[in-house]
Amino acid sequence: MNLTRGTAIATGVLLIVATSAALAAAALAPDLTGTDYLTGVAEHPGRLATGAVLYLIAAGTSVGIAIALYPLLKKVNAPVALGSVVFRTIEAVFYAAAVVSLLTVLHLGQRLARAPTDNPAAIHEIGDSLLSMRDHATLSGALAFCVGALMYYALFYRSRLVPRWLSVWGMAGALLMMSACLLALFSDSPVAGYTFLILPIAVQEMALAVWLLVKGFSPSPHSSRSSTESSVARSGTTATVGT
């Protein structure tokens, strides 16, 4: 198995794991809305803890996608390829911070269940602040994802490593998700509330994953041209020496 095929398989698997883990975590996590969500959290600690682990898996595989792509994309444009790794690392850090806030909410709910207080409003205020911190960390991570994704989809478009319709779909989806992030920022609401703007990039990444697993990357015209130029140069040198 050559490097390009191995990179395609690794990237496809990581894309599927990242999306699947995030969706499973969202489905498992208990409801965090309403006036009595801390009680619900305390009653389902296993669900929330499992959701937190899945969120961490999603965060780790997210940066893993850019790292897996870097050896291939650096041949097209090394600074941009490195930039995608940096921004997806920032994304993972913010997602990890969101998980820490979520686990702290679990601890708060368990303490409230073990030792009821005469002032539950104050405890709920702390919980609300932690959830707000989680939402803002998630929003920051999503913004970092959009920048990193735009970088490697631009390199895909330039190099034709995948069909250009997939690259354009990816760039458009990343821009739509960035719009969702900005709307969430200025409305002070969770970015997850803008599902209709997030869905295109989620579907695109699954389509990209299937393409990479089945078809793999196309030979990069940039790399092929470089190889041809090198061969011509070597031939010219050999001819000169022979003369």
Side-chain angles (χ1 to χ4, degrees):
M1 183 185 295
N2 59 35
L3 174 62
T4 302
R5 185 58 183 153
T7 299
I9 292 174
T11 304
V13 170
L14 288 169
L15 283 165
I16 291 172
V17 172
T19 301
S20 301
L23 290 175
L28 277 174
D31 185 21
L32 297 173
T33 60
T35 57
D36 199 29
Y37 66 87
L38 285 175
T39 300
V41 166
E43 290 174 351
H44 303 94
R47 285 177 55 187
L48 193 143
T50 303
V53 171
L54 289 170
Y55 277 129
L56 288 175
I57 292 172
T61 48
S62 293
V63 67
I65 292 165
I67 292 172
L69 288 171
Y70 178 74
L72 186 62
L73 294 184
K74 72 177 181 179
K75 299 175 184 177
V76 183
N77 188 307
V80 177
L82 181 59
S84 69
V85 174
V86 170
F87 276 98
R88 297 224 64 175
T89 302
I90 293 171
E91 172 197 358
V93 170
F94 275 113
Y95 286 165
V99 170
V100 172
S101 298
L102 188 62
L103 291 174
T104 308
V105 170
L106 170 60
H107 175 71
L108 196 64
Q110 290 174 331
R111 287 200 61 178
L112 184 62
R114 287 196 303 265
T117 176
D118 294 332
N119 189 14
I123 301 297
H124 278 275
E125 184 65 30
I126 297 172
D128 292 344
S129 297
L130 289 169
L131 289 181
S132 177
M133 185 182 302
R134 178 207 179 202
D135 290 340
H136 285 91
T138 300
L139 174 60
S140 299
L143 275 169
F145 159 77
C146 294
V147 177
L150 279 171
M151 286 180 170
Y152 58 71
Y153 282 123
L155 294 182
F156 283 161
Y157 183 87
R158 174 182 171 184
S159 63
R160 296 179 185 266
L161 284 165
V162 298
R164 279 192 160 176
W165 61 267
L166 261 178
S167 303
V168 172
W169 184 2
M171 289 187 285
L175 289 172
L176 285 173
M177 186 168 177
M178 188 175 289
S179 300
C181 292
L182 293 175
L183 288 170
L185 177 64
F186 286 103
S187 64
D188 195 25
S189 58
V191 68
Y194 296 92
T195 306
F196 65 100
L197 291 174
I198 299 172
L199 191 59
I201 190 64
V203 176
Q204 190 276 344
E205 293 216 323
M206 290 299 95
L208 176 62
V210 172
W211 181 274
L212 293 178
L213 291 173
V214 176
K215 297 284 190 178
F217 288 113
S218 302
S220 169
H222 181 276
S223 299
S224 299
R225 184 167 59 252
S226 299
S227 298
T228 302
E229 290 172 354
S230 298
S231 299
V232 171
R234 284 196 298 270
S235 299
T237 303
T238 302
T240 302
V241 172
T243 301

